Amino acid sequence: MAEVIKTAAIANEDEFRFLEKIASSVMEALDASVKSDPKPFLTLRNDLKRMVLGAVQVKAHIVSADEREGGLRNLLNFGHSIGHAIEAILTPQVLHGECVSIGMVKEAELARFLGVLKPGAVARLVKCLATYDLPISLEDTRIQKLAAGKDCPVDDLLSIMAIDKKNDGQKKKIVLLSAIGHTHESKASVVSNEDIKTILSPEISVVPATNPPPEVSCEPPGSKSVSNRALVLAALGSGSCRLKNLLHSDDTEFMLTALTKLDGATYSWEDDGEVLVVTGNGGQLNVSATDIYLGNAGTASRFLTTVASLANPTTKPSTVLTGNHRMKQRPIGPLVDSLRANGINVKFLGREGSLPLEIPALGGLPGGEIELSATVSSQYVSSLLMCAPYAKSAVTLRLVGGRPISQPYIDMTTAMMASFGIIVSRSKTEEHTYHIPLGVYQNPTEYTVESDASSATYPLALAAITGTTCTIPNIGYKSLQGDAQFALKVLQPMGCAIKQTNTSTTVTGPRKGQLKALPFIDMESMTDAFLTACVLAAVAQGNNGDNTTKIRGIANQRVKECDRIGAMREQLEKFGVTCNELEDGIEVQGVPYPSLKVPSNGVYCYDDHRVAMSLSILALVAPQPVKIQERNCVAKTWPGWWDTMSLLFKIELHGEEHTRWFTQQSARPSSRYAKPIFIIGMRGVGKTTMGKWAAEALGWPFTDLDDELEKQKGRTIPQLISERGWDDFRKHEVSILRQAMTPGSSPAVVACGGGIVETTEGRKLLSDYARNQGIVIWLQRRMDDVLKFLQMDKTRPAYTEDNMGVYLRRKPWFAECSNFEYHSRETDNRNITASREGFYRYLAVITEGRKEAELLLSRSLPSSFLSLTTPAIAPEIDVIKTAAVGSDAVELRVDLLRDPNSSDSLPSVDFVVEQISLLRTELAQPLIFTIRTRSQGGCFPDDATELIHKLLKASLRMGVEFIDLEVTLPETILSAVTAEKGFSKIIASYHDVTGALSWENGSWASYRNKCLQYGDIVKLIGVATRVEDNFALECFRKQAASGHDARMILLNMGPRGRLSRILNRFMTPVTHPAMPVKAAAGQLSAAEIRQGLSLIGEIKTKRYFLFGKPISASPSPILHNGLFREHGLPHGYDILETDLTTDLEGTIRSGSFGGASVTIPLKLDIIKLLDQVSDDAKIIGAVNTIVSAKKEEDSDDTMLVGYNTDWQGIAHALSEAGASCQYGENGAAVIGSGGTARAAIFALHSMGFKPIYLIGRSLQRVATAASSFPKEFDLRILASVGSIDDLERPPNVVVGTIPGNVVIDDYMKKMLAKVLQCNGRIDCQKTFLDLAYKPSITPMMTLAKEAGWVTVAGLEVLVAQGLYQFHHWTGILPLYADAKAILSGCR
């Protein structure tokens, strides 16, 4: 089909017009044929013949006329130059015709950019291709799905084009259209690389304007608002109407396609796409046979919601409107409420209040009196107004809730309705009330669409900011559009000279840098233009040094393509411009234009055309070029904006590749999410504790809304309820919540009262916030624990009903109001650290902080995950912790779980959530969520798809890092999960459990392609019946890897498939001897795989050592050799006793050297032999671990890196003993000032203790040690016994570092006794750790125990630091219990 359209586009406009005319019929016939009904195709037989013959005739004519290949036949390559390059990268997932279709669009856009093709012709070509269901861009949803998001880097495309036989080396030959049916030259034209790159690139750099033309006349595209209204009115009208200057954009294309699907009108193009002839059907519409996709076209979605209700039922009773991800977040609830109130039962198919919608076909509104809230969008009003004449009785429309937003747009609608023959009367007695008569629109012969006044602000602002002159020839005083006031109300006060007639506007800017700041602008009548005003205000100067411009009246801009107020604040701050968000506006503090900063990674446009065009204006006065990301979003209203900048205003533009974002890993979330996080749940679930943990992790403030309410009212909550009652309290509670959600609020963690969901208003605030990409976490806990707490808690009034009843009533509300949930677990001192770290990991996933999934995806070393096969987690948690050691992730096989409270043993959502919660707390590895049905090789019933979908949704809410999604699941489930996956990664899998497929004959290709459509990772599992099947698999892997860079898990099941498990380097599923059964036949343990890799030379044998003196009695060789053996590694560990570093140089530089432990007296001297030292070792000033590491991933060159694990051993011993720091509010103390004391200080700081008190016999040595640490360690020296009185935060943890053979003098005994008598936090355990290894119970431990402290022996640290050394060497962190077992001879 792409070839047919191509030949018509280059040589025959009549054929192209014919293709446009029959497109709908062809696609309907195709849809019918899919349903086994060939009749529609038979009726189109002659048309299809003409279509094919037309293409053949064009080709035959061109080839015969160019027998000597003089260049004419190159015209047949229209779309191929770029299309073939795309095909070379995306094949075989994307077909030739699809690539050529995209190529035609890009080559037409190139012709437009060069000024040889009109925008209307490009739009016409795009519309024709799209109508035949051909892709028109690489961002097309289907292309992204087929190619699994594979990139087509522009430089790669240009390189491929350079070697294409159709091109002459670096001289790229492109067929340029001059009109539909005509080419610019009778051969392919030579086009520069730079111009091609500008068109193909996803981002664009705008070079500052150095010498713009002094005067320009610019005619923007037709108004989006007028165009969409004109299309609706003409389609609903009777007769034909020639629409001139119609906007050619994504929005109008969606509208036109939708009206065609509803049988609302037929249309044809004239004057090379500059005139659209619409023949309306007088309001006789029919239900669309397929869902109507509207992208992010907000105007179209709101107008069509009411238009679709006019349709008559066909074989379907209703029409479905849907859109992209952002469209599914934008509000449409008030319009739906009004339609429902008028008897049209519109259904939300997704989230309440947004698309997708199912609209019943009732042939028109019932009519009568309709009320509508018009304070969010005037488009709701216009939607009802335009459809009201077709109601069953005359409509009186009352706008309620306050003054309508954007009144000029409502006036525009009524004025245009009058042009089409329906006169709307505005009530003279009732405010904001309209009377609409019944009737049928009578289409005028011709209707000219005004240029878009909002878009016109950009060229006018360009003149204002550069000091030049610009004329808009077709927008003046008499414009229907409110934004036409921009020149007089904004630009003139800012210092521009304005000339305006009835039909034109001319602006001359002041000298560059002389724009004036405006103290106040009310932009309610021109809200879309506020973004343009912002960029001018960014460089405007005030008279008295106050450069602030305040803009108000733009509240509706928060619910456009994005929150535009927040977007402008965020992006202007990248230029160094300070902004302050207001509820309905923004304050911009201007800076002199030479002081502007250049955004380091460019500016982000939120897929919003107005953001992109506005920021491109500010870029003109930046000191250096500014990169605009998402440059193609301007297609929504001005597809040729970049062409206009280049051709008319002579602005230099350069194409740029995608901006890549990288987040450095840290132990705690390093979040790019920058909005408040709200935590909801029953009282007693731990909202305060978890909220403070979250705040501490993110570095944000914590707010308890109950505390805030008491502070504002000066009363306790029991007092408030006693004095004013529950209803009044709930009103105040909602008010406080609304304050916390004020747009532009700084990031914070906010804990809500348990009853915040009791009111409709509270629930709406929370659910809307979650729907608009805010985070609302529903925190849960075992109800037995919650009920126990509620019985003891007297700080709040008791419930008037039983506690369980309250929970059961609120449970669905909590679910409705949240988009994430987390289950806190009962904790004591010994596992509070694990609980906190588990919550940190969860928080990291949902805020895109520490991205463990990406880290695992990027690893080149072999990785594996443990497949759990236990029926429940809690009874086997100790076994699981042992089995998980050495695995990079852990898979929860949900289909193998057995719920004891379920009648059929199938796990309920609550049961599965509890298992995830326990794993999250107890294990550090990322989680994989897997459900396998019986036909997929698992145990879940094949018909339990509804439960499967619920469980998958629960896994997303729980922030699971990986979700295994079998591609044989229903498409509805696959699409829903991938659309809502957030930051979770999808493993798209197919299991050939019957062994029907072969790696050798291409039979796996279709399954791989489907996995690529849905997954971040491809997982294909076959069956090996012979060893050779594993070699065939490896050949398949090599071939597949060359075509796409998605990570793959490729395995063969069965005993003969074990070799494939050894050879698979990425996320190999493994078992463990402690697991009850293997998850699949032939599965190996991680240790067995390492043994196999060792045997085939993939893991090389390394030698490890202990350096120091005296070390002959050290247990380290027993420990490390035992660990190497247990984990299937071929390495060896020996001692090398010396106190001279010169004895070590040969050993540490040998090829077999893997690493070493370092002890006294070499911890400092060894540093000079190393290539690199870790930050922790630098601060501590000592190295106890050496690692031989690769300099680069693909290089054999190594370097020696020094670490210090003493501090990790200390932190581990304290945590295991139950020591913890609550929210950075606990003090700690260190006794001693030597090297071990430095490690102790670092350990306590890493655990969050602050301040850290230092005690030592020599104050000078203590002071010297303290001075070498950064200030944030907050070290305080205790110089006397008296200084210990009234400490700000008495220590809850004390670490002694005095050697066991040193006698403690009286002074130190008194100091220690005094510290041990301090009253630290009463809710925290007091822990004393003595780092002296001998004797096992030291004198200081005895003193501490007598004072009631929990004591920990130093030997615990010795073992623990060895485990972290092993981790540095191998990437495996063994359990402490396993190490103790090895040392005791049990293993």
Side-chain angles (χ1 to χ4, degrees):
M1 195 64 228
E3 291 289 326
V4 170
I5 295 172
K6 175 195 74 176
T7 54
I10 61 174
N12 195 327
E13 187 185 7
D14 288 339
E15 283 302 307
F16 194 90
R17 193 178 292 114
F18 171 71
L19 293 176
E20 291 174 316
K21 180 180 178 181
I22 67 169
S24 297
S25 299
V26 171
M27 297 311 293
E28 287 172 6
L30 182 62
D31 184 57
S33 70
V34 172
K35 300 171 183 173
S36 303
D37 181 9
K39 292 178 184 176
F41 260 131
L42 295 176
T43 61
L44 288 171
R45 182 180 300 170
N46 292 332
D47 288 339
L48 295 174
K49 282 183 180 177
R50 174 179 168 177
M51 181 191 294
V52 175
L53 286 173
V56 172
Q57 287 169 356
V58 169
K59 286 188 174 184
H61 168 72
I62 290 175
V63 172
S64 60
D66 189 26
E67 291 183 11
R68 298 188 178 183
E69 298 192 18
L72 182 64
R73 67 176 60 193
N74 282 346
L75 297 182
L76 294 174
N77 292 327
F78 175 54
H80 286 62
S81 294
I82 293 175
H84 279 181
I86 294 171
E87 184 181 5
I89 295 175
L90 299 187
T91 188
Q93 282 75 36
V94 182
L95 303 176
H96 170 78
E98 292 170 321
C99 295
V100 169
S101 176
I102 298 170
M104 282 191 277
V105 173
K106 301 315 288 185
E107 292 180 18
E109 289 176 349
L110 180 59
R112 185 187 65 199
F113 180 74
L114 296 172
V116 301
L117 184 64
K118 292 181 179 179
V122 179
R124 200 172 161 195
L125 175 64
V126 168
K127 174 65 179 170
C128 186
L129 291 167
T131 304
Y132 282 101
D133 204 25
L134 287 164
I136 55 176
S137 79
L138 288 169
E139 286 71 42
D140 183 282
T141 305
R142 186 176 45 164
I143 296 298
Q144 286 287 303
K145 201 170 180 181
L146 288 170
K150 189 175 184 180
D151 282 337
C152 286
V154 177
D155 288 341
D156 290 358
L157 293 173
L158 290 171
S159 297
I160 295 166
M161 291 172 69
I163 60 174
D164 192 312
K165 65 182 180 181
K166 302 175 187 63
N167 292 312
D168 182 9
Q170 292 301 312
K171 295 180 180 179
K172 306 298 189 301
K173 294 181 179 179
I174 305 286
V175 177
L176 301 177
L177 296 182
S178 59
I180 295 297
H182 303 277
T183 57
H184 176 56
E185 298 183 80
S186 56
K187 59 181 181 179
S189 303
V190 176
V191 183
S192 73
N193 270 3
E194 188 60 38
D195 287 335
I196 298 171
K197 186 172 183 177
T198 300
I199 291 302
L200 292 180
S201 296
E203 300 176 3
I204 198 163
S205 276
V206 179
V207 178
T210 54
N211 191 27
E215 292 189 30
V216 168
S217 179
C218 176
E219 188 170 333
S223 161
K224 181 183 77 166
S225 301
V226 176
S227 293
N228 276 309
R229 285 166 173 80
L231 286 172
V232 171
L233 294 171
L236 295 179
S238 179
S240 294
C241 178
R242 299 178 80 249
L243 296 177
K244 301 178 72 175
N245 198 39
L246 186 77
L247 172 66
H248 296 292
S249 72
D250 293 348
D251 271 28
T252 51
E253 293 297 340
F254 283 128
M255 176 66 84
L256 198 53
T257 300
L259 291 170
T260 304
K261 284 189 169 187
L262 291 166
D263 297 335
T266 57
Y267 68 91
S268 60
W269 294 97
E270 294 181 356
D271 297 344
D272 197 24
E274 298 303 306
V275 175
L276 179 70
V277 181
V278 178
T279 302
N281 288 337
Q284 294 301 308
L285 280 66
N286 295 311
V287 166
S288 172
T290 59
D291 293 358
I292 296 177
Y293 177 77
L294 300 174
N296 194 18
T299 306
S301 70
R302 287 155 181 170
F303 288 0
L304 289 167
T305 296
T306 311
V307 169
S309 72
L310 306 183
N312 297 302
T314 53
T315 54
K316 290 179 64 182
S318 57
T319 296
V320 173
L321 301 183
T322 187
N324 67 10
H325 178 70
R326 172 60 185 159
M327 194 68 249
K328 291 177 182 179
Q329 296 172 335
R330 298 177 69 178
I332 202 166
L335 177 59
V336 170
D337 291 343
S338 288
L339 291 173
R340 286 175 172 176
N342 201 240
I344 299 175
N345 187 27
V346 179
K347 294 180 181 176
F348 294 112
L349 300 181
R351 291 174 171 175
E352 196 78 9
S354 301
L355 267 61
L357 304 176
E358 184 180 71
I359 304 160
L362 300 179
L365 299 164
E369 295 188 356
I370 300 177
E371 288 191 349
L372 172 67
S373 173
T375 57
V376 176
S377 174
S378 63
Q379 292 172 0
Y380 302 155
V381 183
S382 296
S383 180
L384 286 170
L385 282 171
M386 288 189 292
C387 295
Y390 297 87
K392 293 165 185 175
S393 61
V395 171
T396 294
L397 178 60
R398 289 191 178 86
L399 308 183
V400 298
R403 189 158 64 99
I405 196 84
S406 304
Q407 181 68 44
Y409 286 98
I410 300 173
D411 297 339
M412 175 197 295
T413 301
T414 57
M416 290 184 66
M417 290 172 69
S419 298
F420 283 74
I422 297 293
I423 307 299
V424 177
S425 60
R426 192 167 179 174
S427 175
K428 297 178 180 178
T429 58
E430 296 181 81
E431 194 176 28
H432 313 313
T433 299
Y434 298 84
H435 302 289
I436 306 99
L438 299 179
V440 175
Y441 294 118
Q442 299 302 310
N443 286 341
T445 304
E446 186 172 286
Y447 188 90
T448 300
V449 175
E450 282 185 349
S451 282
D452 186 64
S454 300
S455 296
T457 65
Y458 308 122
L460 294 178
L462 193 153
I465 207 167
T466 59
T468 56
T469 298
C470 178
T471 297
I472 306 296
N474 57 354
I475 297 177
Y477 286 127
K478 291 192 173 181
S479 171
L480 293 172
Q481 304 169 73
D483 287 8
Q485 306 169 60
F486 183 76
L488 286 174
K489 290 193 173 182
V490 178
L491 295 182
Q492 191 172 62
M494 293 187 90
C496 298
I498 308 296
K499 292 181 182 178
Q500 196 166 51
T501 69
N502 287 344
T503 57
S504 72
T505 301
T506 299
V507 169
T508 300
R511 191 160 53 88
K512 189 175 177 182
Q514 297 301 308
L515 286 170
K516 299 175 184 175
L518 302 181
F520 178 78
I521 319 174
D522 183 352
M523 298 192 72
E524 185 178 352
S525 62
M526 46 179 164
T527 55
D528 279 356
F530 101 89
L531 301 92
T532 319
C534 280
V535 298
L536 297 179
V539 291
Q541 306 298 296
N543 292 328
N544 301 316
D546 184 1
N547 300 337
T548 302
T549 296
K550 180 184 288 187
I551 301 171
R552 302 297 295 262
I554 56 171
N556 69 325
Q557 294 295 302
R558 291 198 181 278
V559 291
K560 292 289 186 174
E561 282 77 351
C562 66
D563 175 358
R564 285 177 172 168
I565 297 174
M568 291 308 288
R569 175 187 60 77
E570 290 174 5
Q571 299 310 310
L572 288 178
E573 285 176 352
K574 294 180 181 180
F575 287 91
V577 177
T578 301
C579 300
N580 178 37
E581 288 188 49
L582 310 172
E583 191 167 355
D584 70 334
I586 189 170
E587 291 177 338
V588 181
Q589 297 177 26
V591 300
Y593 78 87
S595 300
L596 288 174
K597 297 178 181 177
V598 177
S600 57
N601 284 310
V603 290
Y604 179 60
C605 297
Y606 309 88
D607 197 26
D608 190 323
H609 52 129
R610 304 225 178 272
V611 174
M613 288 187 277
S614 297
L615 294 172
S616 70
I617 299 299
L618 185 57
L620 297 176
V621 293
Q624 295 174 20
V626 173
K627 185 191 295 184
I628 310 289
Q629 299 172 32
E630 301 182 301
R631 50 81 63 91
N632 290 324
C633 65
V634 299
K636 190 175 181 69
T637 48
W638 199 337
W641 169 245
W642 307 116
D643 314 340
T644 300
M645 289 190 85
S646 176
L647 292 170
L648 274 184
F649 293 98
K650 309 304 178 185
I651 304 301
E652 187 179 345
L653 304 171
H654 299 291
E656 300 280 355
E657 285 287 9
H658 277 298
T659 298
R660 302 295 181 187
W661 295 93
F662 296 96
T663 303
Q664 186 174 358
Q665 186 200 14
S666 63
R668 296 177 180 177
S670 176
S671 173
R672 288 212 306 262
Y673 177 86
K675 295 168 66 176
I677 292 174
F678 291 86
I679 302 178
I680 63 175
M682 289 289 287
R683 182 154 49 94
V685 296
K687 296 192 295 292
T688 298
T689 298
M690 294 291 197
K692 287 183 176 180
W693 285 354
E696 180 187 12
L698 296 167
W700 295 354
F702 171 74
T703 301
D704 186 306
L705 289 190
D706 282 351
D707 291 347
E708 191 64 26
L709 177 58
E710 290 181 334
K711 190 186 304 177
Q712 289 189 19
K713 297 300 175 185
R715 295 278 193 282
T716 66
I717 287 177
Q719 288 171 335
L720 285 169
I721 294 169
S722 175
E723 295 168 8
R724 306 290 291 273
W726 279 100
D727 289 344
D728 188 72
F729 165 69
R730 293 291 182 215
K731 287 179 184 176
H732 291 306
E733 188 177 39
V734 169
S735 176
I736 290 285
L737 175 63
R738 189 180 293 105
Q739 291 174 32
M741 287 183 173
T742 300
S745 297
S746 298
V749 180
V750 182
C752 302
I756 193 66
V757 297
E758 289 284 357
T759 63
T760 302
E761 192 174 0
R763 293 197 296 273
K764 187 174 189 310
L765 284 170
L766 287 164
S767 58
D768 285 351
Y769 187 81
R771 187 161 49 243
N772 286 293
Q773 297 184 310
I775 291 178
V776 180
I777 302 173
W778 173 21
L779 190 60
Q780 297 195 66
R781 185 178 166 191
R782 276 182 5 115
M783 274 312 296
D784 288 347
D785 298 329
V786 174
L787 295 175
K788 193 184 303 179
F789 171 84
L790 292 176
Q791 289 169 359
M792 296 186 296
D793 182 31
K794 304 302 179 187
T795 63
R796 297 288 185 269
Y799 296 128
T800 55
E801 57 189 292
D802 73 279
N803 294 327
M804 182 57 80
V806 173
Y807 169 71
L808 293 175
R809 184 180 72 254
R810 291 177 180 174
K811 185 178 179 182
W813 293 338
F814 286 135
E816 169 196 333
C817 294
S818 59
N819 49 354
F820 294 101
E821 63 182 272
Y822 189 83
H823 285 237
S824 65
R825 306 189 63 80
E826 185 71 17
T827 57
D828 56 26
N829 285 324
R830 291 186 178 276
N831 59 18
I832 195 168
T833 300
S835 296
R836 183 167 53 205
E837 291 296 328
F839 187 58
Y840 285 163
R841 288 190 289 273
Y842 169 78
L843 204 61
V845 177
I846 68 172
T847 63
E848 198 192 12
R850 181 180 59 174
K851 299 188 288 186
E852 291 178 326
E854 280 86 349
L855 291 169
L856 185 50
L857 282 169
S858 64
R859 275 185 54 177
S860 61
L861 295 172
S863 56
S864 65
F865 63 84
L866 174 69
S867 297
L868 301 182
T869 55
T870 56
I873 300 302
E876 306 293 338
I877 190 60
D878 289 335
V879 170
I880 291 170
K881 286 162 70 174
T882 297
V885 172
S887 291
D888 302 282
V890 173
E891 179 187 42
L892 177 64
R893 280 291 299 267
V894 176
D895 55 302
L896 302 181
L897 295 176
R898 293 293 174 263
D899 187 346
N901 297 318
S902 169
S903 58
D904 54 8
S905 293
L906 292 180
S908 66
V909 170
D910 287 346
F911 180 76
V912 171
V913 164
E914 189 177 334
Q915 311 311 301
I916 295 173
S917 171
L918 183 55
L919 289 173
R920 178 75 75 197
T921 301
E922 297 291 341
L923 301 177
Q925 292 97 326
L927 300 181
I928 302 172
F929 184 95
T930 301
I931 305 176
R932 201 86 65 217
T933 67
R934 293 191 180 103
S935 64
Q936 299 162 355
C939 293
F940 225 69
D942 288 296
D943 58 357
T945 53
E946 185 176 347
L947 178 56
I948 289 172
H949 195 184
K950 287 181 180 178
L951 291 169
L952 287 167
K953 287 173 71 174
S955 72
L956 292 173
R957 288 172 60 87
M958 290 292 289
V960 171
E961 288 88 344
F962 295 95
I963 296 172
D964 190 309
L965 203 59
E966 188 80 24
V967 294
T968 54
L969 288 169
E971 291 286 340
T972 51
I973 294 179
L974 296 176
S975 298
V977 173
T978 51
E980 298 175 12
K981 69 173 186 173
F983 298 125
S984 298
K985 299 295 177 185
I986 301 295
I987 302 173
S989 61
Y990 179 75
H991 289 67
D992 175 27
V993 294
T994 62
L997 303 179
S998 168
W999 299 107
E1000 297 175 295
N1001 61 13
S1003 56
W1004 276 102
S1006 62
Y1007 295 101
R1008 173 177 172 262
N1009 289 346
K1010 190 168 185 181
C1011 288
L1012 283 169
Q1013 291 178 35
Y1014 292 103
D1016 302 289
I1017 299 165
V1018 172
K1019 182 181 179 185
L1020 302 175
I1021 309 298
V1023 175
T1025 57
R1026 55 197 184 120
V1027 173
E1028 289 78 6
D1029 291 334
N1030 300 306
F1031 305 135
L1033 181 152
E1034 289 307 309
C1035 291
F1036 179 91
R1037 187 196 306 276
K1038 186 175 181 179
Q1039 180 184 9
S1042 66
H1044 203 287
D1045 56 5
R1047 298 302 300 264
M1048 294 180 294
I1049 305 170
L1050 304 181
L1051 301 172
N1052 281 322
M1053 291 185 287
R1056 290 186 173 86
R1058 287 175 178 165
L1059 179 59
S1060 71
R1061 295 178 184 273
I1062 294 172
L1063 296 176
N1064 182 71
R1065 295 181 61 85
F1066 176 68
M1067 290 185 75
T1068 305
V1070 298
T1071 186
H1072 189 275
M1075 286 291 99
V1077 293
K1078 295 181 178 181
Q1083 204 170 58
L1084 300 171
S1085 70
E1088 288 172 325
I1089 288 176
R1090 292 188 200 99
Q1091 288 170 350
L1093 290 170
S1094 301
L1095 288 171
I1096 62 175
E1098 287 295 302
I1099 296 179
K1100 296 177 180 177
T1101 302
K1102 294 287 184 181
R1103 296 184 66 197
Y1104 293 83
F1105 295 90
L1106 170 62
F1107 299 150
K1109 186 176 183 179
I1111 55 174
S1112 59
S1114 172
S1116 293
I1118 296 173
L1119 173 64
H1120 291 300
N1121 284 319
L1123 290 172
F1124 286 142
R1125 186 170 55 252
E1126 188 162 292
H1127 292 284
L1129 292 167
H1131 313 313
Y1133 185 100
D1134 298 301
I1135 63 171
L1136 198 164
E1137 189 164 10
T1138 182
D1139 54 6
L1140 299 174
T1141 56
T1142 53
D1143 294 341
L1144 305 176
E1145 292 182 14
T1147 300
I1148 63 177
R1149 294 296 175 182
S1150 70
S1152 62
F1153 179 71
S1157 312
V1158 183
T1159 188
I1160 54 173
L1162 300 175
K1163 287 187 175 185
L1164 275 67
D1165 295 343
I1166 196 70
I1167 293 176
K1168 64 187 178 186
L1169 301 183
L1170 305 179
D1171 302 306
Q1172 189 173 307
V1173 177
S1174 65
D1175 290 340
D1176 52 14
K1178 287 178 184 176
I1179 293 174
I1180 295 169
V1183 164
N1184 79 329
T1185 306
I1186 303 173
V1187 178
S1188 177
K1190 287 187 175 182
K1191 286 185 178 180
E1192 294 179 4
E1193 196 169 287
D1194 299 326
S1195 169
D1196 289 331
D1197 294 336
T1198 60
M1199 60 179 177
L1200 299 179
V1201 183
Y1203 297 91
N1204 187 298
T1205 65
D1206 288 331
W1207 73 268
Q1208 291 176 292
I1210 292 168
H1212 179 275
L1214 287 171
S1215 296
E1216 286 294 303
S1220 66
C1221 179
Q1222 291 284 343
Y1223 333 124
E1225 297 173 1
N1226 294 46
V1230 175
I1231 300 172
S1233 55
T1236 309
R1238 299 179 65 85
I1241 291 169
F1242 193 94
L1244 292 169
H1245 175 72
S1246 75
M1247 296 176 72
F1249 288 96
K1250 192 180 289 189
I1252 300 173
Y1253 303 105
L1254 304 183
I1255 302 170
R1257 285 176 295 183
S1258 170
L1259 293 179
Q1260 184 176 352
R1261 288 186 62 190
V1262 172
T1264 300
S1267 65
S1268 65
F1269 281 89
K1271 287 184 178 179
E1272 59 264 25
F1273 277 62
D1274 195 5
L1275 304 183
R1276 304 182 190 182
I1277 300 170
L1278 299 181
S1280 66
V1281 173
S1283 65
I1284 300 175
D1285 295 326
D1286 302 320
L1287 294 178
E1288 177 189 347
R1289 290 178 185 166
N1292 279 90
V1293 169
V1294 175
V1295 180
T1297 67
I1298 299 174
N1301 60 354
V1302 175
V1303 177
I1304 303 174
D1305 60 28
D1306 290 340
Y1307 167 74
M1308 289 298 292
K1309 284 182 181 178
K1310 289 177 182 178
M1311 292 289 287
L1312 176 59
K1314 188 68 174 180
V1315 167
L1316 295 174
Q1317 291 167 10
C1318 288
N1319 293 320
R1321 286 178 59 107
I1322 60 172
D1323 58 342
C1324 293
Q1325 172 183 298
K1326 294 191 290 186
T1327 309
F1328 183 90
L1329 167 63
D1330 196 337
L1331 293 179
Y1333 301 146
K1334 295 178 181 179
S1336 58
I1337 300 177
T1338 66
M1340 286 201 294
M1341 289 173 63
T1342 302
L1343 286 173
K1345 192 167 187 178
E1346 290 173 353
W1349 290 57
V1350 173
T1351 58
V1352 185
L1355 189 60
E1356 306 291 314
V1357 174
L1358 180 64
V1359 176
Q1361 64 83 28
L1363 298 181
Y1364 288 101
Q1365 289 181 329
F1366 191 82
H1367 185 235
H1368 278 300
W1369 297 331
T1370 65
I1372 300 169
L1373 182 60
L1375 295 180
Y1376 183 83
D1378 294 343
K1380 290 294 288 283
I1382 290 171
L1383 289 172
S1384 64
C1386 296
R1387 291 186 185 176

